[in-house]
Amino acid sequence: MGRSERKCTRSPTTCFEPAENLVNRTNNCGPVPRANLGSMTTNSVHPSKPVRVRLAPSPTGALHVGTLRTAIYNWVLARQTGGQFLLRIEDTDQERLVPGSIEQIQESLRWLGLEWDEGPGKDGPHGPYIQSERLQIYQAATKRLLDSSLAYECDCSPERLTMLRERQKAQGLPPGYDNRCRSRPGEELRESRERGVPIVVRLKSPGHGDVTFRDAVRGDITFDSSKIQDFVIMKSDGFPTYHLAHVVDDHEMRITHVLRGDEWIPTSPLHVLIHRALGYEVPVYVHLPLLLGKDKTKLSKRHGAASALEYRDLGYLPDAVFNFLALLGWSPGEDIEIMSREEIVRRFTLDRVNDSPAVFDSEKLEWMNGVYIRQMPLDALTDDIMPWLEKAITPPWNRVQRPIDRTRVRALIPMIQERLKRLAEAPDLLAIFFEEEVMPDRNSIIQKGMDVAATTKALTEAHALAKSTQPFEPEPLEIVFRALAEQLGIKPGQLFGSIRVAITARSVAPPLFHTMSGLGRDRVITRLDKAIRTLESAP
RNA sequence: GGCCCGUUCGUCUAGUGGCCAAGGACGCUGCCCUCUCAAGGCAGAGAUCGCGGGUUCGAAUCCCGCACGGGCUACCA
């Protein structure tokens, strides 16, 4: 786990390029060890002061569960240290915008209970929090870079760039920009601009030396600057690239810790370069391991549900999803898994964030969701289940009068609570209590070791008892029906099984006598009656 | 191709040089409970700690090499 830097190249000492100050200032070969984690004191990478962290999704569609996990860690860190959690929308790619994304992102976060302290819909001192509304800020930063010759304009066409890359590839060279415009005279660019040729701005890469940055999860990571191209920071449409925009914003918004996915590690040195060029302090990076699907490739729609709201719509509880996601890439270091938000906030440390990718195991999520459902107080569960019933349209729900009788539902829920894994299953589990009529399969009514005659007799007796038993409650019912089984000389299971199928048309249901009282005497009698007639009719 | 990151039961993980012939959880199997299903209890199968070298009295833990997997290599983020 803890690793210090693994690569150290000496920085040349003489160079007068303007970009020189972008190279590591010191001969940065001294490893900075990542936390001495034995005791939680000294070197820990975990922040002790209030952090300012942010979630910076692009409005290109649904909020991915991976992003959701990043959001959780952000939120936890902010809550734990008394800092702030910001939401910032990174919409610098105008072509990929998907209408409604921002609302969906907000809804996802709210569903999980991750309120942001600053962001869209919640103004703060560093707004606006949508990048397309901050264009002047990026343009000003770009101008500063241009004025100090740390960046330059480039009018190379996409066609030329593509050709260049293809040629380099064909020659087995690493693809990259050839710095053609780095030293072009200003007049040429002016001329291009007048002709309406699209112009971008590129940052000058130092071209030599190392760039090192600190990652809270992996220790120091060093890159060889000579591999870094003069990359684009301002696009020809006047929008900044992600690289420029997020660096400027993170600085303007006083971000202390940048939590993001693993896939950003290779471009991190670019970000460090921009920080240096602009004279900003570099934040602490926290690169989180990827979330994978069952096939061990990056989790995506292909793997089934991948967006936050889909999990809500599948009937998962926010607390369970929060708990589950928090554990994907982090562990408290003890053998405990079920933890409240408060407990996670209390125990979370960056030191214990994993560095290897995790497979999203939906079976375990399902189990955990069941644990949370079982822990819920009756009224809270009822509140959560009611909307699912109200919106259910499959039979029998399409015929049940609205609003649905909450008192009745509340009385039935104890019967399904420990059988429920997801809220979405509630309508199906409760359906037997709302069906006006059931159509039990003739053969299913007849239990193992029984025949038509014996079953008919048993149900006829049961029918009589159902009429007479007072009160129609689980305990008295159980007493008389057990006695009936004995009197009939059959096993309780045989009797109960027949009755179960007769009154529910299912072989699986909550305990029989609870089911019966939940159904009510009238319905039980009617259904028993119908089952007997079914048995008597020709096979 | 180049650069980067990773590698402990099927999966999530514990492990920070001796307490590890590797612990917990999900899943799986069996048993118990039991009117079915769940829930619960108990038991079990399941990891030569990716491979090979080294350091050390001692390595899952430290070092080196390799293999494999993934990511990046855009005027996308």
Side-chain angles (χ1 to χ4, degrees), chain A residues 1-4 6 32-35 45 212-222 257-262 264-265 268 282-289 350 353-355:
Chain A
M1 274 152 73
R3 262 166 208 116
S4 41
R6 17 195 106 183
V32 180
R34 173 210 166 195
V45 293
T212 302
F213 63 91
R214 181 148 200 215
D215 184 281
V217 177
R218 300 179 165 79
D220 285 13
I221 300 176
T222 297
H257 293 70
V258 173
L259 279 70
R260 54 167 34 163
D262 224 336
W264 292 106
I265 292 178
S268 292
V282 182
V284 176
Y285 288 104
V286 184
H287 287 112
L288 272 10
L350 251 23
V353 171
N354 272 146
D355 52 9

Side-chain angles (χ1 to χ4, degrees), chain A residues 252-423:
Chain A
E252 296 285 334
M253 297 178 184
R254 311 278 187 275
I255 298 302
T256 59
H257 293 70
V258 173
L259 279 70
R260 54 167 34 163
D262 224 336
E263 70 268 27
W264 292 106
I265 292 178
T267 44
S268 292
L270 270 49
H271 310 328
V272 173
L273 254 27
I274 298 175
H275 275 96
R276 289 182 185 165
L278 255 13
Y280 297 161
E281 194 180 328
V282 182
V284 176
Y285 288 104
V286 184
H287 287 112
L288 272 10
L290 249 32
L291 252 33
L292 311 177
K294 274 241 176 280
D295 60 356
K296 300 224 175 200
T297 63
K298 197 170 164 177
L299 190 68
S300 71
K301 280 129 223 110
R302 289 185 301 104
H303 299 96
S307 81
L309 264 16
E310 281 177 87
Y311 284 94
R312 178 197 61 185
D313 297 342
L314 249 19
Y316 289 98
L317 264 20
D319 283 344
V321 172
F322 185 104
N323 191 161
F324 179 74
L325 248 24
L327 252 18
L328 243 37
W330 172 78
S331 89
E334 287 173 63
D335 292 336
I336 46 168
E337 295 199 301
I338 305 296
M339 287 173 284
S340 66
R341 278 159 213 262
E342 294 68 35
E343 195 162 4
I344 291 170
V345 166
R346 185 151 29 87
R347 310 179 93 115
F348 186 83
T349 65
L350 251 23
D351 310 307
R352 302 200 57 87
V353 171
N354 272 146
D355 52 9
S356 54
V359 173
F360 188 98
D361 180 1
S362 41
E363 279 187 343
K364 187 159 183 175
L365 203 213
E366 183 116 339
W367 162 78
M368 193 173 276
N369 205 56
V371 171
Y372 274 84
I373 286 179
R374 273 173 253 132
Q375 284 177 351
M376 285 180 86
L378 180 56
D379 277 304
L381 220 209
T382 307
D383 287 342
D384 276 6
I385 285 177
M386 285 307 291
W388 289 85
L389 265 24
E390 292 286 357
K391 73 185 175 200
I393 48 163
T394 50
W397 301 103
N398 53 163
R399 282 191 290 272
V400 175
Q401 195 192 323
R402 312 294 148 110
I404 289 168
D405 181 356
R406 185 183 190 278
T407 310
R408 174 141 190 253
V409 172
R410 186 179 184 279
L412 297 172
I413 286 180
M415 275 185 259
I416 66 159
Q417 184 159 13
E418 68 184 22
R419 295 167 177 75
L420 200 57
K421 292 270 201 316
R422 292 181 288 113
L423 298 175

Side-chain angles (χ1 to χ4, degrees), chain A residues 27 35 53 61 93 164-165 178 224 232 239 250 259 267 324 334 385 387 437 471 534:
Chain A
N27 189 5
V53 290
D93 186 350
L164 181 65
R165 268 194 295 272
D178 61 358
D224 179 356
V232 175
F239 279 76
D250 284 347
L259 279 70
T267 44
F324 179 74
E334 287 173 63
I385 285 177
E437 265 188 89
T534 303

Side-chain angles (χ1 to χ4, degrees), chain A residues 162-192:
Chain A
T162 307
M163 262 171 56
L164 181 65
R165 268 194 295 272
E166 271 164 19
R167 204 181 319 134
Q168 286 162 331
K169 255 195 163 156
Q171 293 172 38
L173 296 167
Y177 184 56
D178 61 358
N179 296 1
R180 165 175 171 263
C181 294
R182 196 166 178 155
S183 49
R184 301 258 311 278
E187 307 84 68
E188 286 186 32
L189 270 311
R190 207 170 306 128
E191 205 174 290
S192 283

Side-chain angles (χ1 to χ4, degrees), chain A residues 355-532:
Chain A
D355 52 9
S356 54
V359 173
F360 188 98
D361 180 1
S362 41
E363 279 187 343
K364 187 159 183 175
L365 203 213
E366 183 116 339
W367 162 78
M368 193 173 276
N369 205 56
V371 171
Y372 274 84
I373 286 179
R374 273 173 253 132
Q375 284 177 351
M376 285 180 86
L378 180 56
D379 277 304
L381 220 209
T382 307
D383 287 342
D384 276 6
I385 285 177
M386 285 307 291
W388 289 85
L389 265 24
E390 292 286 357
K391 73 185 175 200
I393 48 163
T394 50
W397 301 103
N398 53 163
R399 282 191 290 272
V400 175
Q401 195 192 323
R402 312 294 148 110
I404 289 168
D405 181 356
R406 185 183 190 278
T407 310
R408 174 141 190 253
V409 172
R410 186 179 184 279
L412 297 172
I413 286 180
M415 275 185 259
I416 66 159
Q417 184 159 13
E418 68 184 22
R419 295 167 177 75
L420 200 57
K421 292 270 201 316
R422 292 181 288 113
L423 298 175
E425 298 166 342
D428 186 50
L429 287 174
L430 290 171
I432 53 170
F433 299 105
F434 289 84
E435 273 153 353
E436 285 311 318
E437 265 188 89
V438 293
M439 303 260 293
D441 172 56
R442 192 171 185 273
N443 292 325
S444 304
I445 299 174
I446 302 164
Q447 298 292 293
K448 206 168 275 176
M450 302 273 284
D451 56 19
V452 179
T455 304
T456 307
K457 178 163 177 18
L459 292 187
T460 305
E461 297 289 338
H463 184 265
L465 284 179
K467 269 184 158 163
S468 63
T469 305
Q470 287 292 352
F472 205 69
E473 302 282 333
E475 295 76 21
L477 285 168
E478 176 150 13
I479 291 167
V480 300
F481 279 88
R482 278 196 188 280
L484 173 61
E486 198 172 339
Q487 178 199 320
L488 256 25
I490 58 177
K491 289 186 203 159
Q494 293 175 309
L495 207 217
F496 301 169
S498 282
I499 301 175
R500 171 176 295 108
V501 176
I503 65 174
T504 67
R506 302 186 192 200
S507 57
V508 172
L512 219 219
F513 307 107
H514 285 85
T515 303
M516 286 173 79
S517 77
L519 233 29
R521 192 192 303 273
D522 292 350
R523 256 177 291 212
V524 170
I525 290 171
T526 315
R527 293 182 189 185
L528 245 18
D529 197 44
K530 185 181 173 190
I532 293 164

